[in-house]
Amino acid sequence: MASTVVLDTVVVQFAGLDSIGLISPANLEDDHFIDVFARGKGTFKVHEQNYPLVVRGLVGSRVRIERNGQLMTGFDQTGYLADDLNPRNLHSVRLLHGARSVIYGTGSIGGVLLVEDGAVLFEKQRALSLGYFSNNRQQTYAVNLGDVIGKSGLNFSGLFKRANNFQYADGAEAEHSAFSAGSLSLGYALKTSKLHLEWRGNWHKGDWERPRGFQNNPLELRDLRTRYRIGSDLKLKWHFSKELVFENRLWYGQYDIQQNRTNFASDFNTVNSFENRNYTQRSYGVRSVLSGSITQWNFEVGFDYYRLLFEEKRLEEDLQSTLTQEEKVSRSDAAGGLFGLIEHGLDKHLLLFSVRGDLAKLGSEDQVNTFSKFTLGAMYQYSFRTILNSSISLSRHFRYPETIESTGVFTGGRGVFYGNADINPETSYNLEWDFYGRRKAFSYEVGLWVSFINNRITETLVNSGSYTYTNLSESRIEGIDCQLTYSVSDLTKEDNLAIELSGSVIRGSVVDGFLENGEPLIGIPPARANLRLIYKKNIKVLGALSFSIGASQVGNFNRLPKEVVRSIWGVNEAEHYFLLDLGLSLRHQSESSAVVIGTKTTNLLDKAYFPFGTHIMGKGRDLRVFLSIDF
């Protein structure tokens, strides 16, 4: 059974363990994909941009992210930052856990995030939107266009935004935090009774100043420049019959990203050194799936393959000693797998089994390692009655080592990092147990889960200023996610009210035995509780008036290892905090057009806080005003 909740015009559908979160469409007042993503269960938002997507306390390659079928990877261990996604152009967002996520391969330990954007909707679209954010004087301009020509459809969207330095809640300015970014996407689709052919292409460019103290060093200034990121995919879907469908998807991606670091003397006037890192990557892949149903059996079988070529060049100039250092690290990956899934439903019972076999060659010019992995999963669901349903899933997952963990020598702010060519992939055994149900206007879901991770890859100190990467024997992450929803609608007046209360608690430990207690893992977010309310009232002449409240309570961030190693976003103890958002919008509809005007205030109480233990405080009160015109 699936439950649907309307939150701030975002439809969120929960369907047990297999599919957690379907979001469409995004808010006009949302500035970044993270604003939409962080509404899901087990997800956590740090800052608006240049910070990783956190799922169940895991980031980077421990969470597999696909955009229109393309495997999205980052230039460092924080992974894909999603800065290039346009929240106004999202079609669907699905976060998979459990047995169903097994068939996607490497990175499914923390989940599989499937993002579809720029979809051709086969309808006429003419939409312009403007936004202004008071905190950093941000300006946002967006356009969405679509048309239908016979059996073909076209779609174009664009987003441009720029901002000055943002303000902390204490009134201070976050030095060096301005940005500008733009994204474009184009899509074409052809649809007949048996064939659906769709092509999409996207382009992104962005310049981001990282606030002073970004990596716990107040004497550094950093800039992140995406010179370009492009992606393209071609999807062919052929219906042999109602019961048998073949889908093939080809994709290509490429990026050129620079990161600059300037180190100053204690007076912050004299430049000690300057460092430039240039990251380039080309990747392409294919995924083919044959799906069908026979009586009460559903199945999927297929294969996928990807090729990835990555290169990092580093240049550092010491302006005091006039010394120059140059480094180069490259990585070449070729990986693929065969997979299958079968699902059987009978009366109140549902069984699902998944299996996958993988083969990969990963490495550099100096050394290439070959890995083979076998993973599988099983899920059983029983529907007692509408008010009580339960499902349990057991699955095996893995992830391959990253470039920095396995290849070459890397110099960072804390010292020199030596890749370990003999490192092994991580393996995780995930157990998940869900309870969910509905009664009249109420619905609920309680999810318990635990991940037993073997050979977890971790940073290890060799000596002062030197690090490498080794496999921990065992670690464990467990959590509980809860959600209670109340939703009522008056279909005759188009009025509705939705209230959602949700919460997550996650705990991670390095252990000598999977059931033992041990030292805390780095990167596990604090406990969190959220309240969302939206009330929509249809008023004659004026239109639909919507009022929303969002409240979040985040717990203390103090369960850290005794010897804290600074991570890419900094790790410090942080106190609990409470955030409150208020929104109000009006949609006026006529025969040929619609106008939406609204406002949303985030951090209404102007609370000073440090999210996720970062050295940088969160943004202070921000009044967002937006206007959208459909014609």
Side-chain angles (χ1 to χ4, degrees), residues 43-97:
T43 60
F44 196 89
K45 172 183 174 180
V46 186
H47 281 287
E48 279 77 6
Q49 66 259 351
N50 295 156
Y51 281 81
L53 308 178
V54 183
V55 183
R56 293 185 172 182
L58 300 175
V59 300
S61 60
R62 293 186 176 99
V63 179
R64 184 182 180 95
I65 303 175
E66 294 187 5
R67 178 186 182 184
N68 300 333
Q70 177 188 347
L71 177 62
M72 306 301 291
T73 57
F75 58 88
D76 63 13
Q77 288 175 293
T78 55
Y80 173 55
L81 302 178
D83 287 327
D84 58 323
L85 287 175
N86 179 357
R88 295 162 180 79
N89 198 35
L90 292 177
H91 179 62
S92 68
V93 179
R94 301 179 66 213
L95 180 56
L96 305 181
H97 292 296

Side-chain angles (χ1 to χ4, degrees), residues 99 102-103 299-302 338-342 353-357 377:
V102 166
I103 63 174
F299 69 89
E300 293 181 22
V301 292
L338 301 172
F339 58 86
L341 180 149
I342 189 167
F353 298 98
S354 56
V355 62
R356 182 180 170 102

Side-chain angles (χ1 to χ4, degrees), residues 442-496:
F442 289 92
S443 63
Y444 74 93
E445 183 171 353
V446 179
L448 309 170
W449 56 269
V450 60
S451 296
F452 301 102
I453 304 176
N454 190 39
N455 283 337
R456 180 184 171 101
I457 300 171
T458 188
E459 180 184 297
T460 303
L461 179 66
V462 178
N463 51 54
S464 179
S466 296
Y467 303 84
T468 189
Y469 294 88
T470 57
N471 291 109
L472 283 176
S473 57
E474 296 166 339
S475 61
R476 185 185 70 243
I477 305 175
E478 65 262 11
I480 178 171
D481 302 317
C482 302
Q483 177 184 299
L484 176 64
T485 303
Y486 174 79
S487 179
V488 292
S489 300
D490 184 342
L491 299 180
T492 59
K493 296 181 179 180
E494 298 182 354
D495 299 342
N496 61 60

Side-chain angles (χ1 to χ4, degrees), residues 13 43 94 134 158 217 236 289 292 323 344 469 563 589 600:
Q13 184 181 38
T43 60
R94 301 179 66 213
S134 65
N217 189 344
L236 182 150
V289 182
L323 292 177
H344 178 60
Y469 294 88
E563 300 295 332
Q589 181 84 45
K600 182 177 181 179

